[in-house]
Amino acid sequence: MKVKLLAVGAKMPAWVEQGVAEYRKRLPRDFSLEIIEIAPGARGKNADIARAVASEGERMRERLKGREHLVALEVGGKPWSTEQLAEQAADWRLAGRDVALLVGGPDGIEPGLSASADQRWSLSPLTLPHPLVRILLAEQLYRAWTLLVGHPYHR
């Protein structure tokens, strides 16, 4: 199973790249994490926010193959503990589909794309900065994988 993180935003600071890389290298090939950066829609003074969000959603759709299990990361989603994430990951693996985690821009995920998601997951009721979301996701996927395989880390 491959996990794709489609995240609005570009050119993360080096510390983000280093943090994500540390956890990606710990994951096995059959539970790999790929990060796909989605260019943000135009924002600024007098920007059409709905148009920006729509363009981000379209760029996300272009990167999907249509067979992935879609998980929208949204504040209003269901919170999962690390153990619950491991259970979700086990279910995803059994279903035999790759997973696409969707992280929207500053104004969220395009509503139509959000509505088409198979699941909605909330990392926290807090608003988290996008760089931290990437590291947090990579780290939690690593921890979930260690639970799945009974890694000594969890004994």
Side-chain angles (χ1 to χ4, degrees):
M1 173 184 82
K2 293 184 183 195
V3 178
K4 278 197 270 190
L5 169 59
L6 281 77
V8 174
K11 303 209 178 178
M12 291 290 117
W15 61 269
V16 174
E17 298 293 338
Q18 291 167 348
V20 170
E22 179 61 34
Y23 291 105
R24 285 181 66 194
K25 75 180 181 186
R26 296 180 190 189
L27 291 169
R29 268 195 205 156
D30 66 344
F31 197 82
S32 63
L33 172 63
E34 175 186 8
I35 297 180
I36 300 171
E37 292 184 339
I38 304 298
R43 286 180 175 74
K45 191 174 182 179
N46 301 321
D48 183 344
I49 299 301
R51 179 177 283 179
V53 172
S55 70
E56 292 163 358
E58 185 56 38
R59 285 193 286 280
M60 281 186 170
R61 281 186 187 87
E62 290 170 358
R63 301 305 299 259
L64 296 170
K65 294 179 181 168
R67 299 179 300 275
E68 298 96 344
H69 181 89
L70 298 182
V71 181
L73 279 87
E74 299 177 314
V75 172
K78 184 175 181 180
W80 296 334
S81 66
T82 302
E83 292 78 13
Q84 289 169 318
L85 174 58
E87 291 169 11
Q88 293 296 324
D91 291 346
W92 298 336
R93 287 179 83 174
L94 285 174
R97 293 167 62 194
D98 289 338
V99 175
L101 304 173
L102 309 174
V103 175
D107 301 294
I109 298 171
E110 188 270 319
L113 186 56
S114 175
S116 69
D118 298 296
Q119 293 177 291
R120 280 165 203 74
W121 175 22
S122 174
L123 293 177
S124 170
L126 300 171
T127 300
L128 300 172
H130 281 72
L132 289 182
V133 167
R134 293 180 189 205
I135 295 173
L136 181 62
L137 279 171
E139 188 269 347
Q140 284 301 300
L141 288 170
Y142 167 71
R143 286 184 188 270
W145 173 76
T146 63
L147 283 170
L148 283 175
V149 298
H151 194 280
Y153 171 81
H154 287 289
R155 291 188 188 152

